């Protein structure tokens, strides 16, 4: 297959189009604007819709409308913009509409800065808007995965009638790498619930209202059941040098690339270290972590993030006290060097 | 009391079975409320124009949140104020459907002010019905943006004041001031005659959409006896004597007779043509033969002023490396790294998978201005290569454990007549002295980078000059 050198942000749009997405609604924000720009460039050429909305709020509600018609639709933004979208995401989750939301995370809180952070983990993985809902969250760590996981996001989103998030960061968005693009998707699931303005779907209703407490509880239980099924069937993760690892480093997104290099360096020094990388953050790879936590060989887990320690909470829940769980995070857009990670692991080993 | 319904529009469901409770025949609206009448006028119009089966109703948040109990149509229930945005998404996906956005005054004029303004300004080909009863009904009679000065509500218990809440907002006038809307009218529902007039306006707004004319907006002054604490007849009278005095009735804009029907069609591209449309790569049948070592592990930092083409040079090196079958990554200076005014990029080329894309200890440094050389010289690994543009700086690397490549790139580029080719001169030198870059791959790829012939010619000259410099530098070494 031919490889194309391409920015992660652009790979997302090409992947989306190959996945059958023909509608993009968004609002410009650094460092996600290249996604809107690429969508503006390509959507009209394939007969799709690109619309720069008046606000993040309008954009996500346009997504709500387009998704209600059964169309594969997406939006993209960066952290402050995602905060604004949360209202709409809650309605989309409540109405059980599929859609893909890309979050190219930047530094916060507030306006923060445009440098890479991973501080949207909580707002995307744990819900973010009001109500008992969860997004499906996929975390790419390469330009190739920006394409592949965007395509997967459309598939899972349709399959479970649930918003799916591609949680990237400024680094992966800006980075150019070779990407092999797959063939366009030609088979799509039937959407009997969609509203298409025909006699056949006149009884259909897209709504998140359930006035009766029993009805709303039933609806919520159904949602939780769905998340449970997703947790059982859709977990994806990468294992790197874990066969004999005594120390397990956990990282997602761009940090996993740094940690992978740190593992190589530590291995050269004879340290038996490996990496477990969650590719799906919701569902979280709880069982694999539980399995390693139960292994006598493993001495500790160490979580590296570009935030104040968000994913580490899920690692701790999975480890459940069986082994120490260390954490090292950088914030503000600062990215650790490989040596910094290596030194941290060695320090944590000494402290054990 | 029993009610006998003589006939119901086909635009309504026969039985309102989504309505909770035992009453499935009547609406949930209070006695004397205008919503039911307006619903009926819309349902009738959809039926009469033969579009009831293509209609999609966007219900808002407010008393009409349950419009989907009644309309026999595709129904989407929107978040507070967002109906015009939802309608936009629906209409853009289904241009043949008839999309009705139905909103109250709090929904449209307060929390959804931005959405309605921009849907109108884009001229979305939808019909908007705006029910103005000067109060929030569903939440319990609070002030609306359209509440009159002096009017008492549960949140203006002493009456609305200009000093605290400002003036009632006139949405129709605002919408009519925009260029795109084709039809804007304010009507009232206070008696048989005014309801008949409202019926005409509703039909016009829907007919405009059937005829693809564009954005239509009908503001309907409507009763809220409960919120106003009046009887139904008092409420009707109040519309006539008071509300309509503050919100003048009439057509504020109508260009529907003058505009051509919109072309809303989508032409979906066949699957087999998508790859070309989105510029996916095709197999290069003329891929030249090349020789590179199987131990490539280059970490390259290229740095200079913005505009010197340092980022492009990095992208090209990555492109050539990819075509040689290597793993490559390119990342521009980003975030806090950008402090200091120099632009730079990190390029990695390797046989094995690339972990971190960041270059901390370069095997190759290309510096095209003085600050770059000063800043990054110390990072280069012992035995690494430093290329610097010695036509632009009067310093040289101080280290002796590196291989030095002074390149008068800008001077050569100027001699060629185009300063911008300096980065291609540098590319030629790097190609000439490096084993990981095969000249054949570069020569094959340059025409794909410089597609215009005059640009290709001068850049090929620059590349050849770079190779000459490389040859002379190797002789010196």
């Amino acid at each position: 297959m031919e490889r194309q050198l391409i920015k992660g942000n652009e790979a997302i749009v090409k992947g989306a189009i190959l996945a059958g997405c023909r509608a993009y609604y968004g609002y410009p924000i650094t460092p996600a604007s290249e996604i809107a720009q690429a969508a503006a460039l390509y959507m009209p050429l394939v007969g799709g819709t690109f619309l720069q909305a008046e606000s993040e709020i309008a954009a996500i509600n346009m997504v709500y409308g387009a998704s209600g018609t059964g169309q594969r639709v997406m939006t993209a933004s960066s952290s402050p913009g995602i905060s604004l979208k949360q209202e709409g995401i809650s309605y989309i989750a409540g109405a059980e509409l599929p859609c893909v939301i890309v979050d190219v995370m930047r530094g916060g809180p507030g306006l923060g800065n445009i440098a890479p952070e991973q501080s949207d983990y909580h707002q995307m993985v744990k819900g973010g808007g009001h109500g008992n809902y969860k997004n499906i969250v996929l975390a790419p760590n390469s330009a190739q995965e920006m394409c592949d996981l965007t395509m997967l996001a459309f598939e899972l989103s349709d399959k479970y009638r649930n918003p799916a998030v591609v949680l990237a960061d400024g680094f992966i968005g800006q980075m150019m790498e070779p990407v092999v693009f797959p063939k366009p998707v030609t088979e799509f699931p039937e959407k009997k619930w969609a509203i298409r303005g025909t006699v056949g779907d006149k009884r259909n209703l897209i709504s998140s209202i359930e006035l009766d407490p029993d009805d709303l509880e039933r609806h919520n239980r159904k949602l939780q059941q769905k998340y449970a099924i997703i947790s059982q069937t859709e977990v994806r993760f990468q294992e790197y040098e874990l066969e004999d690892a005594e120390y397990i480093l956990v990282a997602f997104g761009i940090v996993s690339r740094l940690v992978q290099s740190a593992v190589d360096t530590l291995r050269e020094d004879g340290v038996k270290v490996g990496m477990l990388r969650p590719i799906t953050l919701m569902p979280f790879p709880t069982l694999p972590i539980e399995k390693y936590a139960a292994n006598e060989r493993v001495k500790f887990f160490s979580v590296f993030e570009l935030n104040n320690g968000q994913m580490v909470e899920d690692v701790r829940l999975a480890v459940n006290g069986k082994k120490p769980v260390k954490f090292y995070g950088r914030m503000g857009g600062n990215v650790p060097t490989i040596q910094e990670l290596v030194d941290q692991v060695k320090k944590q080993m000494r402290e054990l | 009391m029993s009610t006998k319904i003589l006939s119901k529009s086909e635009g309504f469901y026969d039985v309102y079975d989504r309505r909770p409770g035992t009453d499935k025949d009547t609406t949930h609206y209070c006695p004397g409320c205008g919503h039911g009448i307006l619903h009926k006028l819309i349902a009738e119009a959809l039926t009469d124009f033969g579009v009831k089966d293509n209609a999609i109703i966007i219900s808002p948040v407010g008393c009409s949140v349950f419009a989907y109990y009644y309309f026999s149509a595709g129904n989407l229930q929107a978040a507070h104020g967002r109906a015009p945005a939802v309608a936009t998404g629906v209409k853009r996906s289904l241009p043949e459907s008839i999309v009705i956005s139905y909103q109250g005054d709090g929904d449209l004029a307060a929390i959804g002010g931005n959405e309605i303004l921009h849907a109108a300004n884009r001229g979305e080909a939808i019909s908007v019905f705006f029910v103005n009863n000067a109060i929030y009904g569903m939440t319990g009679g609070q002030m609306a943006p359209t509440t009159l000065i002096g009017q008492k509500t549960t949140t203006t218990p002493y009456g609305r004041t200009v000093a605290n809440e400002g003036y009632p907002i006139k949405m129709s006038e605002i919408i009519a001031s925009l260029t795109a809307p084709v039809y804007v009218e304010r009507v009232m529902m206070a008696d048989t005659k005014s309801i008949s007039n409202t019926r005409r306006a509703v039909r016009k707004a829907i007919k405009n959409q059937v005829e693809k004319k564009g954005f239509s907006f009908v503001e309907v002054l409507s009763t809220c006896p409960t919120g106003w604490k009046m009887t139904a007849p008092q409420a009707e009278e109040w519309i006539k004597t008071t509300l309509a005095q503050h919100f003048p009735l009439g057509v504020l804009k109508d260009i529907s007779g003058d505009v051509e029907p919109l072309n809303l069609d989508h032409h979906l591209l066949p699957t087999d043509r998508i790859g070309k449309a989105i510029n996916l790569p095709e197999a290069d049948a003329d891929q030249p033969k090349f020789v590179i070592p199987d131990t490539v592990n280059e970490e390259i930092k290229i740095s200079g002023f913005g505009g010197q083409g340092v980022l492009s040079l990095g992208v090209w090196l990555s492109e050539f490396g990819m075509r040689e079958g290597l793993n490559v990554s390119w990342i521009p200076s980003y975030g806090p790294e950008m402090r200091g005014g120099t632009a730079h990029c990190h390029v990695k080329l390797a046989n094995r998978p690339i972990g971190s894309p960041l270059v901390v200890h370069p095997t190759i440094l290309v510096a095209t201005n003085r600050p770059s050389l000063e800043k990054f010289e110390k990072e280069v690994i012992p035995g690494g290569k430093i290329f610097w543009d010695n036509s632009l700086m009067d310093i040289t690397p101080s280290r002796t454990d590196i291989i030095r490549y002074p390149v008068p790139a800008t001077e050569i580029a100027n001699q060629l007549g185009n300063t911008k080719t300096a980065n291609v001169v540098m590319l030629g030198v790097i190609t000439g002295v490096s084993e990981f870059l095969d000249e054949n791959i570069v020569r094959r790829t340059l025409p794909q980078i410089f597609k215009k012939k005059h640009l290709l010619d001068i850049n090929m000259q620059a590349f050849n000059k770079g190779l000459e410099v490389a040859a002379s530098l190797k002789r010196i070494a």
Side-chain angles (χ1 to χ4, degrees):
Chain A
M1 290 292 282
E2 279 303 300
R3 298 194 296 170
Q4 183 167 43
L5 187 69
I6 190 169
K7 272 192 180 182
N9 278 344
E10 200 179 339
I12 281 180
V13 174
K14 292 192 180 187
I17 288 173
L18 292 171
C21 173
R22 290 295 177 275
Y24 181 103
Y25 297 95
Y27 187 87
I29 182 169
T30 308
S33 294
E34 286 104 343
I35 303 178
Q37 288 160 212
L41 186 66
Y42 294 125
M43 276 299 175
L45 300 179
V46 296
T49 299
F50 168 84
L51 185 60
Q52 180 171 325
E54 62 270 28
S55 69
E56 299 283 5
I57 297 170
I60 194 69
N61 282 283
M62 290 169 186
V63 167
Y64 180 98
S67 177
T69 71
Q71 186 161 42
R72 283 194 166 176
V73 54
M74 73 179 292
T75 186
S77 188
S78 178
S79 311
I82 295 291
S83 300
L84 281 166
K85 285 187 195 295
Q86 291 293 6
E87 174 202 68
I89 298 173
S90 170
Y91 279 73
I92 287 170
E96 292 195 90
L97 287 175
C99 73
V100 171
I101 301 152
V102 179
D103 179 6
V104 183
M105 292 181 282
R106 61 184 246 186
L111 209 46
N113 64 23
I114 60 167
E117 259 197 6
Q118 296 181 315
S119 47
D120 289 0
Y121 183 92
H122 278 159
Q123 76 158 334
M124 282 319 222
V125 175
K126 302 297 177 183
H130 61 284
N132 308 301
Y133 80 92
K134 286 184 179 181
N135 303 310
I136 295 167
V137 184
L138 312 175
N141 80 345
S142 63
Q144 181 69 56
E145 283 194 351
M146 289 288 252
C147 167
D148 294 349
L149 294 186
T150 298
M151 295 184 75
L152 178 65
F154 278 103
E155 185 189 322
L156 296 179
S157 173
D158 271 354
K159 185 175 173 186
Y160 294 103
R161 289 187 60 180
N162 203 72
V165 173
V166 176
L167 192 64
D169 59 73
F171 252 109
I172 309 167
Q174 298 293 324
M175 185 164 65
M176 285 182 102
E177 286 184 317
V179 173
V180 176
F181 287 98
K183 293 258 177 276
V185 174
T186 50
E187 285 183 24
F188 301 99
E190 195 184 0
K191 295 180 178 176
K192 286 184 179 164
W193 49 265
I195 288 169
R196 296 197 166 86
T198 63
V199 181
D201 51 65
K202 277 179 75 165
R203 292 297 303 181
N204 287 352
L205 169 67
I206 305 295
S207 164
S208 56
I209 299 183
E210 292 289 354
L211 274 193
D212 183 87
D214 290 336
D215 288 343
L216 185 55
E217 186 169 47
R218 207 172 297 124
H219 176 58
N220 268 299
R221 289 205 189 286
K222 190 182 126 200
L223 291 181
Q224 307 318 309
Q225 237 165 28
K226 176 166 84 176
Y227 307 143
I229 291 168
I230 292 170
S231 295
Q232 280 159 18
T233 49
E234 303 297 349
V235 171
R236 289 161 172 82
F237 60 99
Q238 180 199 354
E239 291 169 300
Y240 185 74
E241 303 277 1
L242 282 179
E243 296 80 9
D244 61 345
E246 295 171 3
Y247 310 96
I248 298 185
L249 314 186
V250 187
F252 73 97
I254 186 64
V255 184
S256 68
R257 296 282 294 267
L258 311 181
V259 167
Q260 185 180 327
S261 292
V263 167
D264 292 344
T265 307
L266 285 160
R267 284 266 167 186
E268 282 165 21
D269 293 348
V271 181
K272 288 188 174 173
V273 61
M275 176 181 73
L276 192 147
R277 169 172 77 103
I279 296 171
T280 53
L281 297 174
M282 190 344 252
F284 194 72
T286 303
L287 283 178
I289 292 175
E290 265 179 34
K291 189 191 82 181
Y292 284 109
N295 189 320
E296 282 185 16
R297 184 188 70 232
V298 175
K299 297 196 170 107
F300 68 60
F301 290 80
S302 184
V303 181
F304 293 89
E305 299 180 73
L306 298 183
N307 59 34
N308 60 341
Q310 301 192 13
M311 180 178 73
V312 67
E313 293 181 4
D314 286 325
V315 175
R316 286 201 178 108
L317 284 171
V319 171
N320 200 14
K322 291 195 180 76
K323 297 284 159 62
V325 178
K326 313 275 187 181
F327 171 74
Y328 183 72
R330 293 295 305 267
M331 290 175 276
N334 283 313
V335 178
T337 63
I338 307 304
Q339 193 57 46
E340 193 175 340
L341 299 181
V342 167
D343 292 346
Q344 276 300 320
V345 174
K346 287 184 173 170
K347 179 167 165 265
Q348 291 165 354
M349 287 165 62
R350 283 194 303 275
E351 286 168 357
L352 198 65
Chain B
M1 196 179 84
S2 71
T3 310
K4 189 174 184 189
I5 297 169
L6 295 174
S7 70
K8 194 188 276 180
S9 167
E10 288 173 40
F12 288 131
Y13 294 125
D14 287 338
V15 179
Y16 302 145
D17 54 15
R18 285 196 177 118
R19 192 180 167 195
T22 51
D23 182 355
K24 307 290 188 190
D25 291 323
T26 64
T27 70
H28 71 287
Y29 296 114
C30 305
C33 169
H35 276 302
I37 302 168
L38 185 58
H39 283 14
K40 187 179 174 189
L41 298 179
I42 293 169
E44 265 181 12
L46 292 172
T47 309
D48 291 351
F49 289 118
V51 293
K52 67 178 170 57
D53 293 337
N54 312 108
I56 297 176
I57 314 285
I58 318 298
S59 42
V61 170
C63 287
S64 48
V65 65
F66 301 118
Y68 62 84
Y69 287 171
Y70 314 116
F71 285 105
S72 174
N75 280 287
L76 284 96
Q77 202 290 310
H80 200 21
R82 320 299 177 213
V86 173
T88 297
V90 172
K91 185 71 180 182
R92 296 287 181 122
S93 288
L94 302 171
E96 294 302 319
S97 62
I98 301 300
V99 179
I100 309 287
S101 184
Y102 189 110
Q103 295 183 270
D105 41 38
D107 195 84
L108 181 140
I111 199 166
N114 203 26
E115 283 77 12
I116 189 62
L117 200 61
H118 286 272
N121 193 50
R122 287 190 301 268
E124 296 295 338
I126 59 174
S127 313
V128 175
F129 297 107
F130 168 40
V131 177
N132 178 0
N133 54 19
I135 205 156
Y136 280 63
M138 172 154 274
T139 45
Q142 294 85 2
M143 188 199 73
T146 50
T147 292
L148 301 183
I149 301 302
Q151 190 181 339
K152 287 184 178 173
T153 70
T154 54
T155 50
T156 52
Y158 311 110
R160 176 175 184 163
T161 64
V162 170
N164 204 46
E165 291 92 10
Y167 294 93
I169 195 163
K170 294 181 177 174
M171 288 309 296
S172 287
E173 281 78 356
I174 293 171
I175 301 294
S177 75
L178 302 171
T179 307
V182 295
Y183 170 54
V184 182
E185 181 166 1
R186 183 183 288 120
V187 293
M188 68 175 179
M189 295 193 302
D191 52 26
T192 315
K193 193 178 160 198
S194 60
I195 290 171
S196 171
N197 191 45
T198 299
R199 179 172 182 269
R200 177 195 50 75
V202 167
R203 294 172 81 85
K204 185 172 176 64
I206 290 174
K207 188 158 175 277
N208 280 346
Q209 188 174 172
V210 173
E211 293 174 354
K212 299 185 172 32
K213 290 293 178 67
F215 183 88
S216 297
F217 184 91
V218 178
E219 176 174 344
V220 183
L221 304 183
S222 179
T223 47
C224 182
T226 307
W228 298 346
K229 299 183 171 38
M230 294 180 191
T231 64
Q234 283 171 337
E236 288 178 345
E237 197 56 26
W238 193 72
I239 288 185
K240 281 190 269 191
T241 58
T242 312
L243 202 55
Q245 303 309 310
H246 289 83
F247 295 103
L249 304 182
V251 176
L252 288 117
K253 183 177 185 187
D254 184 5
I255 54 168
S256 59
D258 310 325
V259 296
E260 292 297 314
L262 299 165
N263 179 7
L264 303 170
D265 297 344
H266 289 277
H267 296 287
L268 286 179
L269 197 71
T271 308
D272 60 335
R273 286 167 54 196
I274 287 171
K276 196 171 167 64
I278 63 172
N279 188 29
L280 294 189
E282 287 168 22
D284 187 348
D286 300 326
Q287 178 82 343
K289 287 199 163 27
F290 59 89
V291 184
I292 56 163
D294 58 8
T295 53
V296 176
N297 192 13
E298 297 292 346
E299 306 206 355
I300 306 169
K301 195 169 260 185
I302 308 171
S303 183
F305 290 123
Q308 284 188 312
V310 294
L311 300 185
S312 297
L313 178 56
V315 172
W316 299 336
L317 292 177
S318 309
E319 179 78 33
F320 306 142
M322 179 183 78
R323 287 170 185 242
E324 290 171 341
L326 295 170
N327 295 307
V328 305
S329 69
W330 171 95
I331 193 159
S333 51
Y334 184 64
E337 286 186 305
M338 285 165 72
R339 294 174 198 139
T342 65
H344 68 270
C345 62
H346 307 240
V347 176
K348 288 198 175 184
L349 303 96
N351 296 100
R352 65 178 213 169
I354 293 167
S356 167
L358 295 174
V359 173
V360 181
H361 302 296
T363 58
I364 292 175
L365 170 66
V366 181
T368 61
N369 67 4
R370 182 175 170 155
S372 298
L373 184 59
E374 288 172 339
K375 187 175 176 189
F376 295 124
E377 180 191 348
K378 57 184 177 297
E379 294 180 358
V380 179
I381 61 163
K385 301 182 175 92
I386 295 182
F387 300 79
W388 76 99
D389 190 334
N390 65 348
S391 50
L392 290 181
M393 59 189 106
D394 50 8
I395 60 164
T396 59
S398 55
R399 282 174 59 178
T400 52
D401 62 342
I402 47 100
I403 310 172
R404 310 155 71 89
Y405 296 100
V407 181
T410 301
E411 192 182 313
I412 292 171
N414 284 337
Q415 284 164 7
L416 289 171
N418 189 340
T419 307
K420 287 189 167 179
T421 61
N423 60 350
V424 180
V425 174
M426 196 62 90
L427 170 67
V429 181
I430 297 168
T431 307
V433 302
S434 305
E435 291 193 328
F436 69 90
L437 264 190
D438 188 296
E439 186 187 324
N440 291 322
I441 290 281
V442 180
R443 286 194 185 283
R444 167 69 192 145
T445 310
L446 280 178
Q448 293 164 26
I449 293 168
F450 301 104
K451 291 191 173 125
K452 289 182 183 158
K453 188 172 183 308
H454 69 282
L455 279 181
L456 177 62
D457 288 347
I458 192 166
N459 279 294
M460 275 297 186
Q461 287 176 41
F463 179 67
N464 289 331
K465 285 282 180 192
L467 288 177
E468 286 172 25
V469 172
S472 64
L473 286 170
K474 276 205 277 197
R475 276 196 300 277
I476 296 165

